[in-house]
Amino acid sequence: MIAALLVFALVSQSGAPEKPPQVDLAARVAAALTRDPATLPHATEGKWAQWDAKQPLAETLMRAFAAGVGAYQQGEIGPALAQFQALLDLEPDLPPALYHAGLCYFRLRRYKDCVTLLERFELAAPREVGATRMLGHAYYSLGRYGEARAQYEQVLAVASDDTEARRGLALSRMRVGELDEALGELDRVLAKKPDHADAQTWKAQILFDLGRSEEALAAALRARELDPFEPKPWYLVGQIQLDLGRDEDAEAARARFDVLARASSEIRSLEALLLTEPRSTKPLRRLVELHATIGDVPRAKEWLARLLAPAPKDVELRIFALDTWVAAGQADAALAAALDLERECASEARAWKRLEAYWASVRDRVRQVQASERFLRLSGGAADQGK
């Protein structure tokens, strides 16, 4: 809510957000990551009490804030945090900067630091309580379930349609043993968003905990259908089927869970690394491989697009894409990657050498011969053969 309103105001009044300056960026990011957010200066009491998300900022503040939002939206969390901290040094307790710096800490899984800033945001801008769902998430992540529940209830009191706050409330109630009440909250979430995979997963868990195994299995199968590459639904399906005496099905589900759980653990580590090193290509390549290997083609393509964005004609990366899809057995994606390699790297002999092998592997004799001829022409092989 707050982010959308502020970005709209920024773009409408100041043009496109500017990128943060690159001078000493690494040093600024390192300093921001090691700084204790409690050391940020405080404004005089009540300075921002009447502020709301539609209120415009001064132009210089808008441009600085837009730079931080731009970095955040691109997944460059370290640079974004540095930008918001600098803004808070300049204008203490500026509500949108407090809020977004808190979001940065949440993305970095520094939940205590997130709480520090979002509690300050809530005090500084009490009219924006509806935007404090993330504070509830931070409390929950710290195991402070009572405080999380109270925060979600506070948000829902002014924003009853906030399904993520309601999901958080459901999980908080579950953690304190209110299973039936938690189930009711999850049903309210699913009534508004039937395709909410996480809510469906937790519904299955609670039903299983309540001893309602047949209903739990139906919910877990639905959750697995909604997000087939998330490990937890597979685990639940296996556990429930074991409880129902369906041992063979349980074993198959457990085997798939093991594969997905290993991949998921590595994926989370790599994504965390990219938050502070967004331009590192090694984790990007590994993320493409992991998602392709487990069959999650859409997410593999998302990471591949990010990998290729700075260098769309890089022959090594294009060959890597083709090799990855071939190794994963994704024929359609491999074909698309081969055609991309032809188009983007037409002047590279290495591209045609790899394409020659690829077209041979799919038994496209015409393209294989064409690729061989292009390789010989570009590499000078034809001239050598004539000697």
Side-chain angles (χ1 to χ4, degrees), residues 110-175:
R110 291 171 55 175
Y111 303 120
K112 289 183 180 179
D113 291 331
C114 175
V115 165
T116 295
L117 292 192
L118 291 187
E119 285 182 342
R120 280 177 64 171
F121 168 78
E122 188 174 37
L123 288 172
R127 296 174 64 178
E128 290 299 316
V129 65
T132 60
R133 176 217 309 153
M134 195 61 68
L135 179 55
H137 291 348
Y139 286 142
Y140 181 89
S141 299
L142 291 168
R144 295 160 61 175
Y145 303 125
E147 290 168 280
R149 174 181 174 172
Q151 194 66 39
Y152 292 132
E153 289 175 339
Q154 194 175 354
V155 171
L156 289 166
V158 296
S160 60
D161 289 338
D162 190 329
T163 55
E164 287 308 302
R166 192 163 300 283
R167 181 189 65 89
L169 175 60
L171 298 189
S172 299
R173 300 190 78 166
M174 178 194 71
R175 294 297 183 185

Side-chain angles (χ1 to χ4, degrees), residues 37-370:
T39 65
L40 288 165
H42 289 260
T44 56
E45 186 176 353
K47 177 176 180 178
W48 302 103
Q50 299 305 311
W51 184 88
D52 64 58
K54 297 179 182 179
Q55 182 175 328
L57 302 174
E59 184 174 353
T60 55
L61 298 180
M62 280 185 169
R63 291 188 177 278
F65 178 70
V69 171
Y72 183 88
Q73 291 177 335
Q74 292 170 30
E76 299 183 357
I77 306 303
L81 181 61
Q83 191 73 10
F84 295 132
Q85 285 184 359
L87 196 49
L88 289 165
D89 283 328
L90 179 67
E91 189 63 81
D93 284 341
L94 179 68
L98 278 176
Y99 180 83
H100 282 80
L103 295 188
C104 289
Y105 282 123
F106 191 89
R107 289 284 302 277
L108 293 167
R109 301 179 189 173
R110 291 171 55 175
Y111 303 120
K112 289 183 180 179
D113 291 331
C114 175
V115 165
T116 295
L117 292 192
L118 291 187
E119 285 182 342
R120 280 177 64 171
F121 168 78
E122 188 174 37
L123 288 172
R127 296 174 64 178
E128 290 299 316
V129 65
T132 60
R133 176 217 309 153
M134 195 61 68
L135 179 55
H137 291 348
Y139 286 142
Y140 181 89
S141 299
L142 291 168
R144 295 160 61 175
Y145 303 125
E147 290 168 280
R149 174 181 174 172
Q151 194 66 39
Y152 292 132
E153 289 175 339
Q154 194 175 354
V155 171
L156 289 166
V158 296
S160 60
D161 289 338
D162 190 329
T163 55
E164 287 308 302
R166 192 163 300 283
R167 181 189 65 89
L169 175 60
L171 298 189
S172 299
R173 300 190 78 166
M174 178 194 71
R175 294 297 183 185
V176 298
E178 298 177 355
L179 299 187
D180 289 317
E181 293 82 358
L183 190 60
E185 297 292 355
L186 288 173
D187 282 337
R188 293 177 70 180
V189 172
L190 290 166
K192 292 184 68 67
K193 295 185 68 175
D195 60 349
H196 198 304
D198 188 71
Q200 191 72 50
T201 299
W202 285 109
K203 177 178 179 177
Q205 179 69 70
I206 294 173
L207 286 168
F208 187 48
D209 292 343
L210 289 169
R212 297 158 62 177
S213 295
E214 291 288 356
E215 294 173 78
L217 180 59
L221 290 171
R222 174 59 177 158
R224 191 175 71 177
E225 177 187 352
L226 290 170
D227 192 351
F229 304 105
E230 175 61 36
K232 186 173 175 61
W234 287 90
Y235 178 80
L236 277 173
V237 168
Q239 290 294 98
I240 299 166
Q241 287 175 328
L242 190 64
D243 183 67
L244 293 170
R246 303 171 190 175
D247 294 358
E248 187 175 339
D249 290 338
E251 182 59 32
R254 185 54 186 260
R256 180 59 173 166
F257 163 76
D258 288 341
V259 171
L260 293 176
R262 286 193 297 270
S264 180
S265 177
E266 188 175 354
I267 286 167
R268 286 195 300 271
S269 296
L270 293 166
E271 289 177 342
L273 177 62
L274 285 170
L275 293 177
T276 54
E277 299 180 25
R279 294 177 179 82
S280 179
T281 59
K282 187 175 180 180
L284 286 171
R285 290 173 67 128
R286 182 59 180 154
L287 282 166
V288 174
E289 291 173 335
L290 284 168
H291 284 294
T293 299
I294 63 175
D296 192 348
V297 174
R299 287 178 181 141
K301 286 183 175 179
E302 289 175 8
W303 288 112
L304 183 60
R306 179 167 166 178
L307 176 66
L308 290 168
K313 296 184 179 295
D314 187 307
V315 66
E316 180 185 348
L317 293 180
R318 289 289 177 184
I319 291 174
F320 161 76
L322 176 56
D323 290 346
T324 299
W325 294 125
V326 170
Q330 298 292 338
D332 291 343
L335 174 60
L339 296 175
D340 288 340
L341 180 59
E342 280 190 354
R343 183 183 64 255
E344 300 294 345
C345 306
S347 62
E348 295 280 352
R350 283 184 297 163
W352 294 102
K353 184 65 175 176
R354 178 64 185 92
L355 286 165
E356 179 186 5
Y358 170 73
W359 295 125
S361 72
V362 297
R363 298 179 180 175
D364 189 329
R365 179 62 179 163
V366 172
R367 279 186 161 134
Q368 178 190 352
V369 171
Q370 291 173 340

Side-chain angles (χ1 to χ4, degrees), residues 22-31:
Q22 298 301 308
V23 178
D24 297 327
L25 180 58
R28 291 174 57 219
V29 169

